[in-house]
Amino acid sequence: MPYMLARLLLAPLLRLIYRPVVRGRSNVPRRGPVILASNHLSFVDSIAIALLAPRPVHFLAKDTYFTGRGVKGALTRCFFAALGCVPVDRNAHRGARASLEAAQQVLMSNGAFGIYPEGSRSLDGHLHRGRTGVAWLALATGAPVIPVALTGTDRLLPVGRRLPRFHRITVTFGRPVDCPTHHAAMHPAQMRRATTDQIMSAIGDLSGQRYVPNYLNAPEEAPLSQPGRARKSRRRGTSPSQWAERPPMKH
């Protein structure tokens, strides 16, 4: 309800003030599960997608954003709830698995799930190698993947700036990526890698960014982490919601 109210009130305000260019809205299915895989340049990317997509889109967020106290805590909680964020406990022993399960739950409820395959904001403006969790989720759920390209958001709100500038942005929703569901000659890990590369190529075609074939060094709010590395990531202060290079092992 807070998210739907925010879309009704804030989306027209966003269009009036910043006059964003939105392309390819018809490429996003209006019903059923769907994954929106986007490049990531600024904190406002999630806001832009959440308000300008043709249907509600859910992202993962640390549960600490929902548990703060006082006026600041209430405002933070309302803000992330209004964006349709799904809280995930970043300090839980099963944090990475919980993130994956939360993403699956959104899709199994016929929802739209937003993800940044790069894992973090690109500070150099290039498109970096994608983490294969997006492919695992797509292959595991059968949800179509819509590539999304954001341009101008890094100028609207550069890293380190608190208040946005007046700068026009563009949000482009591409056609669904044709993710293979089975290939007898490929190992599952190879399948996920090939599918992720295909998704990143589609994002790059839309954004026009230069592709860099290496991972970002310091993921900050990445979507889902490899369970085996979750403990190490927490020691470094990163979120356990980094995307895995492979799905969690079954015990």
Side-chain angles (χ1 to χ4, degrees):
M1 184 60 69
Y3 181 25
M4 298 304 297
L5 183 61
R7 281 175 60 89
L8 289 174
L9 297 179
L10 297 182
L13 188 62
L14 175 64
R15 292 178 182 275
L16 177 64
I17 297 176
Y18 291 101
R19 300 177 60 194
V21 177
V22 183
R23 299 170 178 158
R25 283 169 56 93
S26 61
N27 291 323
V28 181
R30 296 303 193 271
R31 297 182 179 84
V34 64
I35 300 170
L36 301 184
S38 175
N39 62 333
H40 197 12
L41 299 171
S42 170
F43 174 79
V44 298
D45 292 343
S46 299
I47 300 175
I49 294 175
L51 295 181
L52 298 176
R55 58 182 290 186
V57 182
H58 300 279
F59 293 86
L60 298 184
K62 295 180 295 185
D63 66 337
T64 53
Y65 290 140
F66 295 83
T67 58
R69 298 181 179 180
V71 176
K72 181 179 179 180
L75 291 175
T76 301
R77 182 167 55 254
C78 291
F79 175 78
F80 284 95
L83 290 180
C85 293
V86 179
V88 175
D89 184 0
R90 64 175 295 178
N91 293 315
H93 178 67
R94 296 177 63 253
R97 187 185 297 272
S99 298
L100 181 60
E101 291 173 350
Q104 287 182 300
Q105 185 174 3
V106 170
L107 295 172
M108 292 178 66
S109 300
N110 290 322
F113 182 73
I115 178 176
Y116 304 114
E118 292 174 275
S120 181
R121 288 178 289 183
S122 174
L123 300 182
D124 57 15
H126 301 321
L127 186 68
H128 291 256
R129 194 182 196 206
R131 300 175 183 273
T132 59
V134 60
W136 189 93
L137 187 62
L139 297 172
T141 63
V145 178
I146 302 296
V148 181
L150 296 159
T151 57
T153 56
D154 53 336
R155 296 184 180 182
L156 175 65
L157 187 66
V159 175
R161 186 180 176 90
R162 294 189 176 183
L163 297 177
R165 300 169 175 170
F166 288 95
H167 191 279
R168 202 169 192 180
I169 67 172
T170 300
V171 184
T172 305
F173 299 95
R175 295 182 178 180
V177 177
D178 185 17
C179 298
T181 57
H182 178 72
H183 197 298
M186 296 183 69
H187 186 275
Q190 295 176 324
M191 175 77 72
R192 292 191 293 272
R193 182 71 264 162
T195 301
T196 301
D197 291 342
Q198 188 174 353
I199 293 171
M200 299 309 295
S201 177
I203 295 174
D205 289 342
L206 296 175
S207 69
Q209 293 170 278
R210 175 189 171 190
Y211 178 72
V212 179
N214 59 272
Y215 297 117
L216 287 167
N217 292 327
E220 51 186 51
E221 273 307 311
L224 292 183
S225 95
Q226 184 172 337
R229 298 180 183 175
R231 186 174 302 174
K232 182 177 180 181
S233 296
R234 286 196 295 273
R235 287 200 299 267
R236 293 185 309 208
T238 58
S239 169
S241 56
Q242 287 176 277
W243 276 102
E245 284 301 298
R246 57 178 180 267
M249 297 177 62
K250 295 181 179 180
H251 299 285

